[in-house]
Amino acid sequence: MNNVILVNLPFIVVALLLAVGFYTIGFKRNLIKVVIGIEILEGAVNLFLIALGYVKGAYAPIYTMAPKEAVNNMVLPTPQALTLTSIVIGVAVSALMLAFAVNIYRHYGTLDVTKVRRLKG
Amino acid sequence: MIEHLPALMIAVPLFGAFIAPLLKKKGSAPAVWAVIITGVTLGMALLLVRQVLAQGMMVYVFGADKPTLVLPSGYRVPVRIIFEVDAIGAFMALSATLMSFIGALYSYSHVRNETGLEKYYALLLLLEVGILGMVLTGDLFNLFVFLEIAGIAGSALVGFRNYRGEASEAGIKYLIVSAVASLMVLFSIGLLYGQYGNLNIAYLSTQISFNTVDMIALGILFASFAMKCGSVPTHHWVPDAYTEVPSGINPTLLVATYASLYALFRVSFSLFGNITVNMSSLGWIMSILGVLTMFIGVTMALVQKDVKRLMSYHAISQTGYMLLGVGVGLAVLNDPAKLAAFGRDAMAGGIFHIINHIIYKSLLLMTAGALFYVTGTRNLNEMGGLARKMPYTTIAFIVGAAAISGIPPFNGFASKFLIYETSYQLSPIFAVFAMVTSVLTLASFVKVFASAFLGPPVKKYEEVREVPRSMVIAMLILAALCILFGLFPNVVLDKLVYPAVDALLKLGSYQTWGGLP
């Protein structure tokens, strides 16, 4: 029983982080907090990808200087490559969102999403 | 040369995007550069369409010894990034490049007085890269990367007029929606990868067994792409984004939205196409979403005072027609008799409506941009009597309004009629809603025409003249396309649309490439 929880711990954390992220996006009023919520979601998804690729006792997928016993016992490199790409994209997204937030603060004088509502109808 | 076309379609606009900022101090050089690059890409898209229609699907493998070599010796599963261009991908690529070209042409005059134009054109080209990548790729992770590229470039363009607070507001809305949607897409890609150990769509679709995890993945993918294509109930970002973006970007942004729609179709028909049970209910969900989308969109549009916002709500409502048409096809996918009787035609209506809608909605949003250019306001109540001052814009507006309302012989009629006929056979209520929506669309455009173009001339606008030539040319090209597509719908249907529909329907030919066992 205990072992099952330990093995699945990363996935439980992913589920928790997803819930926290969606809660933050949906219910927080400060724009910066909404951005942080998206960052939490991104962390959850990245953790999920990394946890998928992990194999107990396997070797990191670096082919040069790999020891003999690593042959046929390496983790797949794809999830790690996916995660690196996703992190890079995430940095771009969060930078752009924060830039928008700064610009919104300059024009509206507030970051409260319930007050940033000139567009309606 | 021809075999490298799928890669060049990405490489050329990407190259253009990185060169554009270097032309910062050269006056209108970035604009000319963008027109040249989008023109070259349009030419390549035409070649690509010709090649795909003549020779069948094109497969391009990045980094292989030969670009068509899918499986290196000793491998049982496809590795490397693979582009797969079938008829529907080529169709979307043609729409994207055509609209980017028109958008660049229109922008030449429309945003001339703004600053930071080199960034504007770089982002325009990046947006084109994102769309082309989404529609050409055959790889799920690549789809996510290009979805993000299109999302980032699109939202940066929405916030381009950063001296207006509203632009940043619309931009962050669009960015949050697209970031959440694409993160969820990545999550479900992770779910699929964890089970099947591959990212290639064609390979995955042969493997999928539809267990619980697959169902979750399908649900998340469906919801995320529906969110990104602006269907009800997550349509709230569409009017803000389309209103605030400069009118020259509107065509490209529309295609970016429909690239998500394309991804939705790809997921439903190709990735999960092997499953025979639940697709019919998915088709019903898609049709009902379509009907709701068209009806809610048009009723919201009726009460708007801002001319561009009104047209943006119509964009939501027209997305409903595409969802309805393709949804009807999906609902009868596993019933060969019904599929032959009306399902295939329904899908043709839906897909034909994509290109028709892109053309006339871009035209309408451009006329709205022209009104904004000369009057400096988008409020309908402050305009009036502009018909005599701006004859070309008026003609373009009339053509666009007639096309969107489905009046023959304009192009909207051709595709809407197919949708009415076929959705009636699935459920008469769908057809009734579709027709009512059309009538309401006409009503709201009569309102715009009466308040902006007719009526007594307003003193404030006595000095206004017709918009500059490049804007007029862009609008007239689109108006001519509206009339041409309406007069000869059979040509377009036979040459472009039915091959695209068959590409979606014939899953077998999508799966068998490169001698995969």
Side-chain angles (χ1 to χ4, degrees):
Chain A
M1 179 62 205
N2 213 355
N3 202 18
V4 173
I5 292 181
L6 265 186
V7 168
N8 287 325
L9 187 64
F11 298 104
I12 298 168
V13 175
V14 166
L16 280 178
L17 282 178
L18 279 179
V20 171
F22 274 116
Y23 171 79
T24 316
I25 296 170
F27 294 98
K28 288 293 173 188
R29 297 172 68 170
N30 191 319
L31 211 45
I32 303 288
K33 286 184 183 164
V34 174
V35 175
I36 291 173
I38 289 177
E39 293 300 299
I40 294 173
L41 268 191
E42 197 201 317
V45 174
N46 286 340
L47 178 61
F48 179 66
L49 286 176
I50 283 293
L52 275 180
Y54 180 71
V55 180
K56 201 174 178 186
Y59 284 84
I62 300 167
Y63 285 95
T64 48
M65 319 247 304
K68 260 267 161 48
E69 62 269 26
V71 179
N72 292 330
N73 192 22
M74 288 183 179
V75 295
L76 280 174
T78 318
Q80 303 180 7
L82 302 192
T83 314
L84 282 177
T85 317
S86 148
I87 288 171
V88 172
I89 293 172
V91 170
V93 171
S94 52
L96 189 55
M97 275 194 290
L98 289 175
F100 277 136
V102 168
N103 208 5
I104 284 175
Y105 188 77
R106 280 216 328 241
H107 286 282
Y108 291 73
T110 175
L111 281 172
D112 188 337
V113 288
T114 52
K115 292 192 183 122
V116 184
R117 290 203 56 83
R118 274 189 222 158
L119 290 167
K120 55 188 159 200
Chain B
M1 166 67 195
I2 289 285
E3 63 185 9
H4 291 285
L5 266 183
L8 283 175
M9 294 279 290
I10 305 293
V12 170
L14 201 56
F15 170 74
F18 286 124
I19 294 296
L22 300 180
L23 305 170
K24 185 176 178 183
K25 301 225 168 99
K26 305 275 188 338
S28 62
V32 178
W33 176 250
V35 171
I36 291 170
I37 288 289
T38 47
V40 170
T41 323
L42 175 61
M44 289 196 307
L46 286 170
L47 279 178
L48 184 78
V49 167
R50 212 185 66 180
Q51 177 73 9
V52 167
L53 291 184
Q55 307 277 331
M57 196 172 82
M58 287 176 82
V59 176
Y60 189 89
V61 186
F62 284 84
D65 298 338
K66 256 192 342 190
T68 48
L69 181 70
V70 180
L71 286 178
S73 60
Y75 281 78
R76 301 284 310 276
V77 292
V79 289
R80 300 195 173 108
I81 294 167
I82 297 178
F83 271 20
E84 297 178 47
V85 193
D86 55 1
I88 176 139
F91 170 80
M92 291 301 294
L94 181 64
S95 324
T97 48
L98 177 69
M99 285 304 145
S100 306
F101 177 67
I102 303 261
L105 196 63
Y106 184 88
S107 301
Y108 180 78
S109 314
H110 185 67
V111 290
R112 185 185 276 166
N113 300 326
E114 313 262 350
T115 54
L117 283 183
E118 73 283 353
K119 303 180 194 84
Y120 175 94
Y121 287 108
L123 286 167
L124 169 64
L125 291 171
L126 269 185
L127 185 58
E128 190 185 5
V129 171
I131 301 165
L132 286 175
M134 276 177 76
V135 300
L136 297 183
T137 188
D139 181 290
L140 273 181
F141 187 70
N142 239 294
L143 181 68
F144 160 77
V145 171
F146 284 113
L147 184 69
E148 283 278 23
I149 292 177
I152 293 172
S155 54
L157 282 169
V158 171
F160 175 69
R161 292 196 169 111
N162 59 2
Y163 48 87
R164 288 167 55 84
E166 290 89 341
S168 295
E169 190 189 333
I172 200 168
K173 260 187 200 173
Y174 182 50
L175 189 54
I176 287 175
V177 165
S178 82
V180 171
S182 46
L183 279 176
M184 286 300 104
V185 168
L186 182 61
F187 183 69
S188 49
I189 289 171
L191 287 175
L192 290 173
Y193 182 81
Q195 294 185 81
Y196 304 110
N198 206 305
L199 290 166
N200 190 281
I201 297 178
Y203 181 76
L204 272 178
S205 70
T206 59
Q207 300 288 313
I208 272 173
S209 58
F210 214 52
N211 46 24
T212 316
V213 181
D214 283 348
M215 251 190 273
I216 295 172
L218 173 62
I220 295 177
L221 282 174
F222 189 90
S224 316
F225 285 129
M227 187 162 156
K228 269 242 51 196
C229 76
S231 113
V232 166
T234 44
H235 60 283
H236 52 87
W237 61 270
V238 178
D240 300 346
Y242 286 2
T243 312
E244 285 304 324
V245 78
S247 284
I249 302 298
N250 270 126
T252 327
L253 201 63
L254 271 165
V255 191
T257 315
Y258 295 128
S260 303
L261 199 68
Y262 160 84
L264 182 63
F265 297 160
R266 186 54 94 200
V267 164
S268 326
F269 282 93
S270 298
L271 184 55
F272 287 89
N274 261 1
I275 304 132
T276 44
V277 270
N278 288 15
M279 279 336 220
S280 142
S281 50
L282 193 68
W284 277 94
I285 294 174
M286 205 191 260
S287 321
I288 291 169
L289 263 187
V291 169
L292 283 177
T293 306
M294 66 170 77
F295 196 68
I296 292 176
V298 81
T299 42
M300 298 282 277
L302 276 174
V303 296
Q304 301 300 323
K305 285 198 286 289
D306 182 330
V307 55
K308 251 183 121 177
R309 205 172 172 81
L310 184 145
M311 291 173 183
S312 314
Y313 273 109
H314 280 299
I316 300 175
S317 129
Q318 301 296 314
T319 308
Y321 281 96
M322 301 157 204
L323 283 170
L324 174 61
V326 179
V328 167
L330 187 58
V332 296
L333 184 61
N334 297 311
D335 190 340
K338 281 187 182 170
L339 187 65
F342 62 89
R344 186 164 171 263
D345 294 331
M347 286 177 63
I351 287 170
F352 191 26
H353 204 68
I354 293 181
I355 195 161
N356 285 342
H357 176 242
I358 290 169
I359 290 172
Y360 60 65
K361 182 49 58 70
S362 309
L363 176 61
L364 285 169
L365 286 163
M366 282 175 171
T367 55
L371 289 177
F372 179 68
Y373 185 86
V374 297
T375 63
T377 177
R378 290 198 299 248
N379 192 335
L380 278 173
N381 296 344
E382 292 173 18
M383 298 179 194
L386 291 169
R388 196 155 301 171
K389 315 261 190 207
M390 307 164 70
Y392 293 114
T393 310
T394 314
I395 292 169
F397 179 84
I398 292 174
V399 171
I404 196 176
S405 320
I407 293 173
F410 297 99
N411 61 357
F413 172 74
S415 51
K416 280 186 179 181
F417 194 66
L418 268 175
I419 295 173
Y420 298 152
E421 270 187 332
T422 50
S423 59
Y424 182 81
Q425 300 189 42
L426 187 70
S427 161
I429 297 180
F430 289 168
V432 171
F433 268 103
M435 284 181 202
V436 169
T437 304
S438 249
V439 174
L440 290 177
T441 307
L442 183 61
S444 63
F445 277 99
V446 168
K447 168 181 146 180
V448 176
F449 187 62
S451 44
F453 292 103
L454 298 181
V458 179
K459 197 162 254 170
K460 214 176 5 169
Y461 307 131
E462 259 170 15
E463 296 300 310
V464 303
R465 273 178 291 127
E466 184 60 270
V467 289
R469 194 172 296 141
S470 82
M471 290 164 79
V472 170
I473 291 172
M475 287 193 287
L476 289 186
I477 291 175
L478 285 180
L481 281 179
C482 268
I483 296 170
L484 275 180
F485 277 34
L487 287 179
F488 308 105
N490 283 339
V491 179
V492 186
L493 277 170
D494 290 341
K495 291 264 187 259
L496 276 176
V497 176
Y498 274 115
V501 172
D502 290 338
L504 275 183
L505 287 177
K506 284 188 191 131
L507 178 60
S509 65
Y510 187 71
Q511 286 171 339
T512 55
W513 35 254
L516 199 68

Coordinates of all heavy atoms in Angstrom, one line a residue, chain A residues 1-64:
Chain A
M1 N 0.8 -1.2 0.0 CA 0.0 0.0 0.0 C 0.9 1.2 0.0 O 0.7 2.1 -0.8 CB -0.9 0.0 1.3 CG -1.8 1.2 1.4 SD -3.0 1.3 0.0 CE -3.3 3.0 0.1
N2 N 1.8 1.3 0.9 CA 2.7 2.4 1.0 C 3.5 2.6 -0.2 O 3.7 3.7 -0.7 CB 3.7 2.2 2.2 CG 4.0 3.5 2.9 OD1 3.6 4.5 2.4 ND2 4.7 3.4 4.0
N3 N 3.9 1.4 -0.8 CA 4.7 1.5 -2.0 C 4.0 2.1 -3.2 O 4.5 2.8 -4.0 CB 5.2 0.0 -2.3 CG 6.4 0.0 -3.2 OD1 7.1 1.0 -3.3 ND2 6.6 -1.1 -3.8
V4 N 2.7 1.7 -3.3 CA 1.9 2.2 -4.4 C 1.8 3.8 -4.3 O 2.0 4.4 -5.3 CB 0.4 1.7 -4.3 CG1 -0.5 2.3 -5.3 CG2 0.5 0.2 -4.5
I5 N 1.7 4.3 -3.1 CA 1.6 5.8 -3.0 C 3.0 6.4 -3.4 O 3.0 7.3 -4.1 CB 1.3 6.1 -1.5 CG1 -0.2 5.7 -1.3 CG2 1.4 7.6 -1.3 CD1 -0.7 6.1 0.1
L6 N 4.1 5.7 -2.9 CA 5.4 6.3 -3.3 C 5.6 6.3 -4.7 O 6.2 7.2 -5.3 CB 6.4 5.4 -2.5 CG 6.9 6.0 -1.2 CD1 8.0 5.1 -0.7 CD2 7.3 7.4 -1.3
V7 N 5.2 5.2 -5.4 CA 5.5 5.1 -6.8 C 4.7 6.1 -7.6 O 5.1 6.8 -8.5 CB 5.1 3.7 -7.4 CG1 5.1 3.7 -8.9 CG2 6.2 2.7 -6.9
N8 N 3.5 6.4 -7.1 CA 2.6 7.3 -7.8 C 2.7 8.7 -7.3 O 1.9 9.6 -7.7 CB 1.1 6.8 -7.7 CG 0.9 5.6 -8.6 OD1 1.5 5.5 -9.7 ND2 0.1 4.7 -8.2
L9 N 3.6 8.9 -6.4 CA 3.7 10.3 -5.8 C 3.8 11.4 -6.8 O 3.1 12.4 -6.7 CB 4.9 10.3 -4.8 CG 4.9 11.6 -3.9 CD1 3.7 11.7 -3.0 CD2 6.2 11.6 -3.0
P10 N 4.7 11.2 -7.8 CA 4.8 12.4 -8.8 C 3.4 12.7 -9.4 O 3.1 13.8 -9.6 CB 5.8 11.8 -9.8 CG 6.5 10.8 -9.1 CD 5.6 10.2 -8.1
F11 N 2.6 11.6 -9.7 CA 1.4 11.9 -10.4 C 0.3 12.5 -9.4 O -0.5 13.3 -9.9 CB 0.8 10.6 -11.0 CG 1.8 10.0 -12.0 CD1 2.6 8.9 -11.7 CD2 1.9 10.6 -13.3 CE1 3.5 8.4 -12.6 CE2 2.8 10.1 -14.2 CZ 3.6 9.0 -13.9
I12 N 0.4 12.1 -8.2 CA -0.4 12.8 -7.2 C -0.1 14.3 -7.1 O -1.0 15.2 -7.1 CB -0.3 12.1 -5.8 CG1 -0.8 10.7 -5.9 CG2 -1.1 12.8 -4.8 CD1 -0.4 9.8 -4.7
V13 N 1.2 14.5 -7.1 CA 1.7 16.0 -7.0 C 1.2 16.7 -8.3 O 0.7 17.8 -8.2 CB 3.2 16.0 -6.9 CG1 3.6 17.5 -6.9 CG2 3.6 15.4 -5.6
V14 N 1.2 16.0 -9.4 CA 0.8 16.6 -10.7 C -0.7 17.0 -10.6 O -1.1 18.1 -10.9 CB 1.0 15.7 -11.9 CG1 0.2 16.2 -13.1 CG2 2.5 15.6 -12.2
A15 N -1.5 16.1 -10.0 CA -2.9 16.4 -9.9 C -3.2 17.5 -9.0 O -4.0 18.4 -9.3 CB -3.6 15.1 -9.4
L16 N -2.4 17.5 -7.8 CA -2.6 18.7 -6.9 C -2.2 20.0 -7.5 O -2.9 21.0 -7.4 CB -1.7 18.4 -5.7 CG -2.2 17.5 -4.6 CD1 -1.2 17.3 -3.5 CD2 -3.5 18.0 -4.1
L17 N -1.1 20.0 -8.2 CA -0.6 21.2 -8.9 C -1.6 21.7 -9.9 O -1.9 22.9 -10.0 CB 0.8 21.0 -9.5 CG 2.0 21.0 -8.6 CD1 3.2 20.7 -9.4 CD2 2.1 22.3 -7.9
L18 N -2.2 20.8 -10.7 CA -3.2 21.1 -11.7 C -4.3 21.8 -11.0 O -4.8 22.9 -11.4 CB -3.7 19.9 -12.5 CG -2.8 19.4 -13.6 CD1 -3.4 18.2 -14.2 CD2 -2.6 20.5 -14.7
A19 N -4.8 21.2 -9.9 CA -5.9 21.8 -9.2 C -5.6 23.2 -8.6 O -6.4 24.1 -8.8 CB -6.3 20.9 -8.0
V20 N -4.4 23.3 -8.0 CA -4.0 24.6 -7.5 C -3.9 25.6 -8.6 O -4.4 26.8 -8.5 CB -2.7 24.5 -6.8 CG1 -2.1 25.9 -6.4 CG2 -2.8 23.7 -5.5
G21 N -3.3 25.2 -9.8 CA -3.2 26.1 -10.9 C -4.5 26.6 -11.4 O -4.7 27.8 -11.6
F22 N -5.5 25.7 -11.6 CA -6.8 26.1 -12.1 C -7.5 27.0 -11.1 O -8.2 28.0 -11.5 CB -7.6 24.9 -12.5 CG -7.3 24.4 -13.9 CD1 -6.8 23.2 -14.1 CD2 -7.6 25.2 -15.0 CE1 -6.6 22.7 -15.4 CE2 -7.3 24.8 -16.2 CZ -6.8 23.5 -16.4
Y23 N -7.3 26.7 -9.8 CA -8.0 27.5 -8.8 C -7.4 28.9 -8.9 O -8.2 29.9 -8.8 CB -7.7 26.9 -7.4 CG -8.2 27.8 -6.3 CD1 -9.5 27.9 -5.9 CD2 -7.2 28.6 -5.6 CE1 -9.9 28.7 -4.9 CE2 -7.6 29.4 -4.6 CZ -8.9 29.5 -4.3 OH -9.3 30.3 -3.3
T24 N -6.1 29.0 -9.0 CA -5.5 30.3 -9.0 C -5.9 31.1 -10.2 O -6.2 32.3 -10.1 CB -3.9 30.2 -9.0 OG1 -3.6 29.2 -8.1 CG2 -3.3 31.5 -8.7
I25 N -6.0 30.5 -11.4 CA -6.4 31.2 -12.6 C -7.9 31.6 -12.4 O -8.3 32.7 -12.8 CB -6.2 30.3 -13.8 CG1 -4.8 30.0 -14.0 CG2 -6.8 31.0 -15.1 CD1 -4.5 29.0 -15.1
G26 N -8.7 30.8 -11.9 CA -10.1 31.1 -11.8 C -10.6 32.0 -10.8 O -11.5 32.8 -11.0
F27 N -9.9 32.0 -9.6 CA -10.5 32.7 -8.5 C -9.6 33.9 -7.9 O -10.1 34.6 -7.1 CB -10.8 31.7 -7.3 CG -11.8 30.7 -7.7 CD1 -11.5 29.5 -8.1 CD2 -13.2 31.1 -7.6 CE1 -12.5 28.6 -8.5 CE2 -14.1 30.2 -8.0 CZ -13.8 28.9 -8.4
K28 N -8.4 34.0 -8.4 CA -7.6 35.1 -7.9 C -7.9 36.4 -8.7 O -8.1 36.3 -9.9 CB -6.1 34.8 -8.0 CG -5.7 33.7 -6.9 CD -5.8 34.3 -5.5 CE -5.6 33.1 -4.5 NZ -5.9 33.6 -3.2
R29 N -7.8 37.5 -8.0 CA -8.2 38.8 -8.7 C -7.0 39.5 -9.2 O -7.1 40.4 -10.1 CB -9.0 39.6 -7.8 CG -10.3 39.0 -7.4 CD -11.0 39.7 -6.4 NE -11.5 41.0 -6.9 CZ -12.4 41.7 -6.2 NH1 -12.8 41.4 -5.0 NH2 -12.8 42.9 -6.7
N30 N -5.8 39.3 -8.6 CA -4.6 40.0 -9.1 C -4.1 39.3 -10.3 O -3.9 38.1 -10.4 CB -3.6 39.9 -7.9 CG -2.5 40.9 -8.2 OD1 -2.0 41.0 -9.3 ND2 -2.0 41.6 -7.2
L31 N -3.8 40.2 -11.3 CA -3.3 39.7 -12.6 C -2.0 38.9 -12.4 O -1.8 37.9 -13.1 CB -3.1 40.8 -13.5 CG -3.3 40.6 -15.0 CD1 -4.6 39.8 -15.2 CD2 -3.5 41.9 -15.7
I32 N -1.1 39.4 -11.6 CA 0.2 38.7 -11.4 C -0.1 37.3 -10.8 O 0.6 36.3 -11.2 CB 1.1 39.5 -10.4 CG1 1.3 40.9 -10.9 CG2 2.4 38.8 -10.2 CD1 2.2 41.0 -12.1
K33 N -1.1 37.2 -9.9 CA -1.4 35.9 -9.4 C -1.9 34.9 -10.4 O -1.6 33.7 -10.4 CB -2.3 36.0 -8.2 CG -1.7 36.6 -7.0 CD -2.7 36.6 -5.8 CE -2.0 37.2 -4.6 NZ -2.9 37.6 -3.6
V34 N -2.7 35.5 -11.4 CA -3.2 34.7 -12.5 C -2.0 34.1 -13.3 O -2.0 33.0 -13.7 CB -4.2 35.5 -13.4 CG1 -4.6 34.7 -14.6 CG2 -5.4 35.9 -12.6
V35 N -1.0 35.0 -13.5 CA 0.2 34.6 -14.3 C 0.9 33.5 -13.5 O 1.3 32.5 -14.1 CB 1.1 35.8 -14.5 CG1 2.4 35.3 -15.2 CG2 0.4 36.8 -15.4
I36 N 1.0 33.7 -12.2 CA 1.6 32.6 -11.4 C 0.8 31.3 -11.5 O 1.4 30.2 -11.6 CB 1.7 33.1 -9.9 CG1 2.7 34.2 -9.8 CG2 2.2 32.0 -9.0 CD1 2.8 34.9 -8.5
G37 N -0.5 31.4 -11.5 CA -1.3 30.2 -11.7 C -1.0 29.5 -13.0 O -0.8 28.2 -13.0
I38 N -0.8 30.2 -14.1 CA -0.4 29.6 -15.3 C 1.0 28.9 -15.2 O 1.2 27.8 -15.7 CB -0.5 30.6 -16.5 CG1 -1.9 30.8 -16.8 CG2 0.2 30.0 -17.7 CD1 -2.1 31.8 -17.8
E39 N 1.9 29.6 -14.4 CA 3.2 29.0 -14.2 C 3.1 27.7 -13.4 O 3.8 26.7 -13.7 CB 4.1 30.0 -13.4 CG 4.5 31.2 -14.2 CD 5.2 30.9 -15.5 OE1 6.3 30.3 -15.4 OE2 4.7 31.2 -16.6
I40 N 2.2 27.7 -12.5 CA 2.0 26.4 -11.7 C 1.5 25.3 -12.6 O 1.9 24.2 -12.5 CB 1.0 26.7 -10.5 CG1 1.6 27.6 -9.5 CG2 0.7 25.4 -9.8 CD1 0.7 28.0 -8.4
L41 N 0.5 25.7 -13.5 CA 0.0 24.7 -14.4 C 1.1 24.1 -15.3 O 1.2 22.9 -15.5 CB -1.0 25.3 -15.4 CG -2.5 25.3 -15.1 CD1 -3.2 25.8 -16.3 CD2 -2.9 23.9 -14.7
E42 N 2.0 25.0 -15.7 CA 3.1 24.6 -16.6 C 4.0 23.7 -15.8 O 4.5 22.7 -16.3 CB 3.8 25.9 -17.0 CG 4.7 25.6 -18.2 CD 5.7 26.7 -18.3 OE1 5.4 27.9 -18.1 OE2 6.9 26.4 -18.6
G43 N 4.3 24.0 -14.5 CA 5.1 23.2 -13.7 C 4.5 21.8 -13.6 O 5.2 20.8 -13.7
A44 N 3.2 21.7 -13.4 CA 2.5 20.5 -13.3 C 2.7 19.6 -14.6 O 3.0 18.4 -14.5 CB 1.0 20.7 -13.0
V45 N 2.5 20.3 -15.7 CA 2.6 19.5 -17.0 C 4.0 19.0 -17.2 O 4.3 17.9 -17.6 CB 2.1 20.4 -18.1 CG1 2.3 19.7 -19.5 CG2 0.6 20.7 -18.0
N46 N 5.0 19.9 -16.9 CA 6.4 19.5 -17.1 C 6.8 18.4 -16.1 O 7.4 17.4 -16.5 CB 7.3 20.7 -16.8 CG 7.3 21.7 -18.0 OD1 6.9 21.3 -19.1 ND2 7.7 22.9 -17.7
L47 N 6.3 18.4 -14.9 CA 6.6 17.4 -14.0 C 6.0 16.1 -14.5 O 6.6 15.0 -14.4 CB 6.0 17.7 -12.6 CG 6.2 16.7 -11.5 CD1 7.6 16.4 -11.3 CD2 5.5 17.1 -10.2
F48 N 4.8 16.2 -15.0 CA 4.1 15.0 -15.6 C 4.9 14.3 -16.7 O 5.2 13.1 -16.7 CB 2.7 15.4 -16.1 CG 1.9 14.3 -16.7 CD1 1.5 13.2 -15.9 CD2 1.6 14.3 -18.0 CE1 0.8 12.2 -16.5 CE2 0.9 13.2 -18.6 CZ 0.5 12.2 -17.8
L49 N 5.5 15.2 -17.6 CA 6.3 14.6 -18.7 C 7.5 14.0 -18.1 O 7.9 12.9 -18.6 CB 6.7 15.7 -19.6 CG 5.5 16.2 -20.5 CD1 6.0 17.4 -21.4 CD2 5.1 15.1 -21.5
I50 N 8.2 14.6 -17.2 CA 9.4 14.1 -16.6 C 9.1 12.7 -15.9 O 9.8 11.8 -16.0 CB 10.1 15.1 -15.7 CG1 10.7 16.2 -16.4 CG2 11.0 14.4 -14.7 CD1 11.9 15.7 -17.2
A51 N 8.0 12.7 -15.1 CA 7.7 11.5 -14.4 C 7.4 10.4 -15.3 O 7.7 9.2 -15.0 CB 6.5 11.8 -13.5
L52 N 6.8 10.7 -16.5 CA 6.5 9.6 -17.5 C 7.8 9.0 -18.0 O 7.8 7.8 -18.2 CB 5.8 10.3 -18.7 CG 4.3 10.5 -18.7 CD1 3.9 11.1 -20.0 CD2 3.7 9.1 -18.5
G53 N 8.8 9.8 -18.2 CA 10.0 9.3 -18.8 C 10.9 8.6 -17.8 O 11.9 7.9 -18.2
Y54 N 10.7 8.7 -16.5 CA 11.6 8.1 -15.5 C 11.4 6.6 -15.4 O 10.3 6.1 -15.2 CB 11.3 8.8 -14.2 CG 12.3 8.3 -13.1 CD1 13.6 8.6 -13.1 CD2 11.8 7.5 -12.1 CE1 14.5 8.2 -12.2 CE2 12.7 7.0 -11.1 CZ 14.0 7.3 -11.2 OH 14.8 6.9 -10.2
V55 N 12.5 5.9 -15.5 CA 12.5 4.5 -15.2 C 13.5 4.2 -14.1 O 14.6 4.7 -14.1 CB 13.0 3.7 -16.5 CG1 13.0 2.2 -16.2 CG2 12.1 4.1 -17.6
K56 N 13.1 3.4 -13.1 CA 13.9 3.2 -11.9 C 15.2 2.5 -12.3 O 15.2 1.4 -12.9 CB 13.1 2.4 -10.9 CG 13.6 2.6 -9.5 CD 12.8 1.9 -8.5 CE 13.4 2.0 -7.1 NZ 12.6 1.2 -6.1
G57 N 16.3 3.0 -11.9 CA 17.6 2.4 -12.1 C 18.1 2.5 -13.5 O 19.2 1.9 -13.8
A58 N 17.5 3.2 -14.4 CA 18.0 3.4 -15.7 C 19.0 4.5 -15.8 O 19.1 5.3 -14.9 CB 16.8 3.6 -16.7
Y59 N 19.7 4.6 -17.0 CA 20.7 5.6 -17.1 C 20.2 6.7 -17.9 O 19.2 6.6 -18.7 CB 21.9 4.9 -17.9 CG 22.7 4.0 -17.0 CD1 22.3 2.7 -16.8 CD2 23.8 4.5 -16.3 CE1 23.0 1.9 -16.0 CE2 24.6 3.7 -15.5 CZ 24.2 2.4 -15.3 OH 24.9 1.6 -14.5
A60 N 20.8 7.9 -17.7 CA 20.5 9.1 -18.4 C 20.8 8.9 -19.9 O 21.8 8.2 -20.2 CB 21.2 10.3 -17.9
P61 N 20.0 9.4 -20.8 CA 20.2 9.2 -22.2 C 21.4 10.0 -22.8 O 21.2 10.8 -23.7 CB 18.9 9.5 -22.9 CG 18.4 10.6 -22.0 CD 18.8 10.3 -20.6
I62 N 22.6 9.7 -22.4 CA 23.8 10.4 -23.0 C 24.6 9.3 -23.6 O 25.1 8.4 -22.8 CB 24.5 11.2 -21.9 CG1 23.6 12.2 -21.3 CG2 25.8 11.8 -22.5 CD1 24.2 12.9 -20.1
Y63 N 24.8 9.3 -24.9 CA 25.4 8.1 -25.5 C 26.9 8.1 -25.5 O 27.5 7.0 -25.4 CB 24.9 8.0 -27.0 CG 23.5 7.5 -27.0 CD1 22.4 8.4 -27.1 CD2 23.2 6.2 -27.0 CE1 21.1 8.0 -27.1 CE2 21.9 5.7 -27.0 CZ 20.8 6.7 -27.1 OH 19.5 6.2 -27.1
T64 N 27.5 9.3 -25.5 CA 29.0 9.3 -25.4 C 29.4 9.0 -24.0 O 28.7 9.4 -23.0 CB 29.5 10.6 -25.8 OG1 28.8 11.6 -25.2 CG2 29.4 10.8 -27.3

